């Protein structure tokens, strides 16, 4: 982020620690309830300009210096380790960090807030707009100071130097969290200047950050898309805590569906690819970009007129990545749909001189699924059989002498895949056109959405392996369901704070390690919170070569591809 102060991302640990950031709202609600019962607020006018003037005087004259000295007191050794350490435990500032504090600090803030508001009421100039306006402005400015983005241009303070004593910028307050012996003020740096606690770098750093023209270029970009309307709410900028957990449908999501659907229509018409999240892996910057398109826009036949628009979005993102100097861009699920763009070959053929490597995760995903299939299995049922991933799974199993029932209506595509298998293995690939053909097969590999009615044809005791996004509904209680291919990232990943249902590329020392197709691949399976399908594909798309990553002290699984 160009204007970001601290370029690190939010991690799961901080999100968990700040889970109850909104407790102060409960305290304010209780205090406001008592106030409402104690004062005749219904008799107050809507607006009184004299009240705003007196509120400003009380805030500047009493609340600001009072907060300053209370804040300095909280930084004394005795108080800091018992009360104020919690607020400073957050590594990366976020608007929610403003409310991450102990109960004592919230009580003190209630006093600081109460002086201008109640004082104005007792003077006789209280109004409803004053009460709501001051509280909203107070909380907004607190969140602004912790937003980790410098929103004020430096020339504002060059043209009006007095504002340096009136406005606490996000950069100004961020220095307090790194230094902790300077910049104690509430909203007005004047009091730091008065008592000589202004950090000497405050305005120089503010100028440097606000004047940035470019941000760091990502080493790797994962080009994702939205699955459906409900899963769109599983975003860190919508519900940070919810997005840090594996996606599950919650009742509170349904009332938001209509509004989210309208947002989807606006995105469809106007939006461009945008940055969704980022994290660092051993010094390499990994970013997720979102193509503003939804899964059903590719799947539904009557919406195929949109395919050109979707491909244009993907192509623009690839060209942007190439122009910026991104090393690798990985296409997610439907962005590499075979019928949409040939698994990404449409773009590499059209732009043969791309410097950015366009990749996808099919080979490694296939390896994860194949590893889970027991060696004694002699027959499998495969849906999504003619996709690139389905093709890789079918050909490998045929070489293992496993009979593969490939569900497809296209004899042409089936015959093309069958001819790719060695002559002595072709007989193990069998085309089927109905789910009924698998009613005696207990190993199903699902690469295409399967309805509960279609699952009904599986015999009791069937295990469903999956590479379809989103995963199928576990309808059968007498069967077992596998999860999407998952890995665990190493402990030194920084700034990762959202769960996703996709696979990412894994860079090792900034380059792709080139290995042969028969290379032994090591994967680290299962992830954080047991469901986190982590972000680490290791595939070089044009040649489908693989690279490895190993991690000590982790359970590793090894096989040949």
């Amino acid at each position: 982020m160009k204007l970001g102060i601290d370029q690190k991302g939010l991690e799961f640990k901080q999100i968990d620690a700040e889970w109850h950031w909104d407790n102060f709202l409960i305290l304010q609600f209780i205090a406001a309830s008592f106030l409402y019962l104690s004062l005749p607020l219904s008799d107050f006018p809507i607006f009184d300009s004299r009240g705003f003037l007196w509120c400003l005087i009380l805030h500047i004259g009493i609340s600001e210096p009072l907060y300053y000295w209370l804040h300095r007191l909280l930084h004394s050794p005795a108080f800091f380790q018992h009360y104020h350490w919690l607020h400073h435990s957050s590594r990366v500032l976020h608007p929610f960090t403003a409310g991450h504090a102990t109960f004592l600090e919230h009580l003190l803030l209630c006093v600081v807030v109460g002086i201008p508001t109640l004082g104005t009421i007792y003077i006789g100039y209280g109004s409803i707009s004053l009460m709501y306006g001051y509280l909203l402005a107070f909380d907004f400015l607190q969140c602004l100071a912790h937003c980790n983005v410098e929103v004020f241009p430096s020339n504002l303070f060059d043209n009006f130097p007095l504002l340096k004593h009136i406005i606490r910028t996000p950069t100004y307050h961020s220095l307090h969290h790194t230094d902790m012996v300077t910049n104690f003020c509430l909203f007005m740096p004047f009091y730091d200047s008065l008592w000589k606690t202004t950090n000497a770098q405050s305005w120089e750093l503010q100028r440097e950050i606000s004047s940035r023209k470019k941000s760091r270029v990502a080493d790797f970009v994962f080009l994702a898309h939205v699955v459906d309307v409900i899963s769109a709410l599983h975003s860190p900028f919508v519900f940070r805590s919810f997005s840090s957990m594996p996606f599950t449908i919650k009742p509170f999501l349904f009332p938001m569906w209509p509004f989210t659907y309208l947002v989807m229509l606006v995105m469809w018409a106007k939006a461009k690819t945008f940055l969704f999240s980022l994290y660092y892996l051993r010094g390499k910057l990994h970013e997720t970009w979102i193509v503003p398109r939804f899964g059903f826009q590719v799947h539904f036949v009557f919406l195929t007129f949109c395919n050109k628009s979707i491909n244009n979005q993907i192509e623009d993102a690839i060209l942007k990545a190439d122009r910026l100097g991104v090393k690798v861009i990985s296409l997610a699920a439907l962005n590499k749909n075979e019928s949409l763009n040939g698994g990404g070959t449409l773009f590499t053929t059209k732009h043969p001189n791309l410097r950015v490597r366009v990749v996808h995760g099919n080979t490694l995903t296939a390896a994860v699924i194949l590893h889970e299939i027991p060696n004694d299995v002699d027959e499998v049922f495969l849906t999504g059989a003619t996709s690139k991933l389905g093709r890789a799974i079918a050909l490998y199993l045929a070489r293992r002498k496993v009979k593969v029932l490939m569900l497809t209506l296209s004899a042409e595509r089936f015959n093309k895949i069958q001819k790719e298998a060695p002559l002595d293995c072709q007989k193990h690939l069998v085309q089927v056109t109905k789910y009924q053909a698998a009613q005696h097969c207990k190993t199903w590999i699902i690469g295409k959405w399967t309805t509960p009615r279609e699952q009904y044809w599986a015999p009791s005791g069937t295990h469903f392996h999956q590479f379809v996004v989103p995963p199928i509904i576990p309808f059968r209680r007498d069967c077992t369901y596998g999860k999407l291919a998952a890995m665990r990232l190493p402990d030194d990943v920084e700034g990762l704070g959202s769960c996703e249902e996709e696979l990412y590329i894994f860079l090792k020392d900034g380059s792709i390690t080139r290995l042969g197709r028969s290379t032994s691949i090591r994967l680290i399976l299962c992830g954080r919170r047991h469901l986190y399908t982590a972000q680490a594909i290791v595939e070089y798309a044009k040649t489908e070569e693989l690279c490895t990553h190993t991690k000590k002290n982790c359970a590793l699984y090894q096989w040949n591809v």
Side-chain angles (χ1 to χ4, degrees):
M1 187 181 297
K2 183 171 66 174
L3 299 179
I5 299 169
D6 190 331
Q7 298 291 334
K8 300 185 185 70
L10 286 171
E11 297 184 344
F12 290 115
K13 185 177 180 181
Q14 179 174 337
I15 294 172
D16 291 345
E18 295 180 352
W19 200 267
H20 300 293
W21 66 271
D22 52 352
N23 281 354
F24 79 97
L25 295 175
I26 300 174
L27 180 62
Q28 288 186 359
F29 175 78
I30 294 173
S33 299
F34 278 110
L35 181 64
Y36 181 81
L37 295 174
S38 304
L39 297 172
L41 296 182
S42 58
D43 298 333
F44 287 177
I46 298 296
F47 179 81
D48 189 331
S49 59
R50 295 169 298 178
F52 279 88
L53 178 62
W54 273 105
C55 183
L56 185 63
I57 292 172
L58 293 173
H59 174 85
I60 296 174
I62 301 178
S63 290
E64 284 282 350
L66 176 63
Y67 177 90
Y68 175 90
W69 285 108
L70 287 174
H71 195 179
R72 288 195 65 171
L73 180 64
L74 288 171
H75 274 267
S76 64
F79 283 91
F80 186 86
Q81 63 181 347
H82 289 101
Y83 301 105
H84 198 46
W85 67 271
L86 182 64
H87 181 66
H88 281 270
S89 64
S90 299
R91 291 184 57 194
V92 180
L93 294 187
H94 183 274
F96 291 172
T97 307
H100 185 223
T102 58
F103 183 65
L104 174 64
E105 293 175 274
H106 289 315
L107 286 177
L108 294 176
L109 278 178
C110 284
V111 174
V112 171
V113 169
I115 290 173
T117 51
L118 296 180
T120 303
I121 289 174
Y122 285 119
I123 292 174
Y125 299 123
S127 65
I128 295 175
S129 58
L130 170 68
M131 298 297 295
Y132 284 104
Y134 183 84
L135 289 173
L136 290 173
F138 191 97
D139 288 343
F140 172 77
L141 292 175
Q142 281 283 71
C143 292
L144 180 66
H146 293 85
C147 72
N148 198 35
V149 178
E150 185 48 68
V151 297
F152 294 97
S154 59
N155 57 12
L156 176 67
F157 301 100
D158 293 336
N159 296 331
F160 304 97
L162 182 62
L163 294 180
K164 290 183 178 181
H165 299 290
I166 299 175
I167 298 177
R168 178 184 65 170
T169 68
T171 303
Y172 188 93
H173 189 65
S174 71
L175 284 172
H176 169 73
H177 278 258
T178 56
D179 187 13
M180 291 200 292
V181 294
T182 57
N183 296 8
F184 293 100
C185 74
L186 177 55
F187 302 132
M188 299 180 63
F190 165 77
Y191 291 96
D192 281 309
S193 301
L194 180 63
W195 288 300
K196 306 198 182 304
T197 53
T198 302
N199 190 299
Q201 299 179 347
S202 296
W203 300 106
E204 180 181 345
L205 182 62
Q206 195 276 339
R207 176 187 297 277
E208 175 190 336
I209 294 173
S210 63
S211 302
R212 284 179 189 158
K213 300 299 182 183
K214 295 181 179 180
S215 59
R216 175 177 171 177
V217 176
D219 298 281
F220 165 76
V221 167
F222 180 62
L223 190 61
H225 61 83
V226 189
V227 177
D228 53 44
V229 176
I230 288 293
S231 67
L233 295 170
H234 192 243
S235 304
F237 51 78
V238 179
F239 295 109
R240 186 182 71 165
S241 55
F242 178 55
S243 72
S244 72
M245 303 295 292
F247 177 74
T248 53
I249 295 178
K250 302 289 186 181
F252 73 86
L253 298 176
F254 291 104
M256 304 177 191
W257 191 95
F259 176 76
T260 309
Y261 185 81
L262 292 177
V263 172
M264 181 207 70
L265 295 177
V266 174
M267 290 175 63
W268 194 350
K270 297 293 184 180
K272 300 293 184 181
T273 300
F274 60 91
L275 175 65
F276 179 79
S277 63
L278 59 86
Y279 67 93
Y280 291 85
L281 180 58
R282 299 180 182 171
K284 306 299 180 183
L285 174 58
H286 295 227
E287 292 182 349
T288 298
W289 296 359
I290 297 295
V291 174
R293 293 295 183 270
F294 287 63
F296 70 86
Q297 294 170 342
V298 176
H299 278 314
F300 287 175
V301 175
F302 68 87
L303 288 176
T304 53
F305 69 90
C306 297
N307 286 2
K308 183 178 180 181
S309 172
I310 296 172
N311 280 330
N312 287 341
Q313 290 273 357
I314 299 171
E315 183 179 9
D316 289 344
I318 292 173
L319 294 177
K320 178 182 178 181
D322 187 63
R323 186 169 61 253
L324 291 174
V326 175
K327 295 182 178 66
V328 182
I329 184 168
S330 175
L331 305 183
L334 297 178
N335 287 341
K336 61 176 184 288
N337 184 277
E338 188 72 21
S339 60
L340 180 66
N341 52 46
T345 56
L346 172 68
F347 312 115
T348 55
T349 302
K350 185 177 179 180
H351 304 282
N353 297 321
L354 287 173
R355 292 170 297 172
V356 63
R357 291 175 175 177
V358 183
V359 307
H360 56 70
N362 291 342
T363 302
L364 191 58
T365 306
V368 175
I369 293 171
L370 291 168
H371 176 67
E372 294 176 346
I373 298 175
N375 292 328
D376 58 352
V377 169
D378 57 9
E379 183 182 57
V380 303
F381 175 60
L382 176 64
T383 71
T386 58
S387 66
K388 280 196 172 184
L389 187 49
R391 163 191 163 275
I393 293 172
L395 291 174
Y396 182 87
L397 290 175
R399 292 188 180 97
R400 275 177 47 181
K401 312 302 181 185
V402 176
K403 183 179 180 180
V404 184
L405 305 177
M406 300 176 62
L407 180 67
T408 176
L409 297 175
S410 174
E412 179 184 355
R413 297 182 71 176
F414 168 78
N415 291 331
K416 183 179 179 181
I417 294 173
Q418 189 180 44
K419 290 177 182 178
E420 294 183 52
L423 288 175
D424 61 331
C425 299
Q426 291 182 6
K427 63 183 179 181
H428 299 293
L429 299 178
V430 180
Q431 181 186 7
V432 297
T433 57
K434 296 181 179 180
Y435 283 85
Q436 292 92 312
Q439 58 186 316
H440 301 297
C441 179
K442 290 191 174 184
T443 302
W444 285 35
I445 303 175
I446 307 299
K448 181 180 179 181
W449 178 256
T450 303
T451 65
R453 182 180 179 85
E454 292 164 340
Q455 294 176 40
Y456 173 78
W457 291 105
S460 178
T462 295
H463 182 76
F464 293 87
H465 303 271
Q466 303 188 60
F467 61 91
V468 60
V469 178
I472 61 175
I473 300 172
F475 172 73
R476 295 284 300 277
R477 294 189 178 274
D478 58 341
C479 299
T480 55
Y481 293 79
K483 297 181 174 65
L484 296 179
M487 305 172 220
R488 176 181 296 150
L489 288 178
D491 294 334
D492 53 358
V493 171
E494 296 181 321
L496 185 60
S498 63
C499 293
E500 300 180 33
E501 293 184 333
E502 299 293 347
L503 297 176
Y504 278 44
I505 192 161
F506 205 95
L507 291 178
K508 184 179 180 182
D509 298 328
S511 62
I512 302 294
T513 304
R514 299 188 176 188
L515 304 171
R517 287 181 181 274
S518 62
T519 300
S520 176
I521 304 300
R522 291 187 177 185
L523 282 187
I524 306 167
L525 298 180
C526 300
R528 184 184 183 277
R529 304 180 191 271
H530 309 293
L531 287 177
Y532 178 63
T533 52
Q535 304 157 324
I537 327 173
V538 281
E539 176 189 329
Y540 179 16
K542 291 184 179 179
T543 60
E544 292 186 350
E545 294 171 345
L546 300 173
C547 66
T548 65
H549 171 69
T550 60
K551 173 74 176 168
K552 295 180 180 179
N553 303 322
C554 290
L556 300 178
Y557 296 85
Q558 182 171 324
W559 63 92
N560 291 325
V561 177

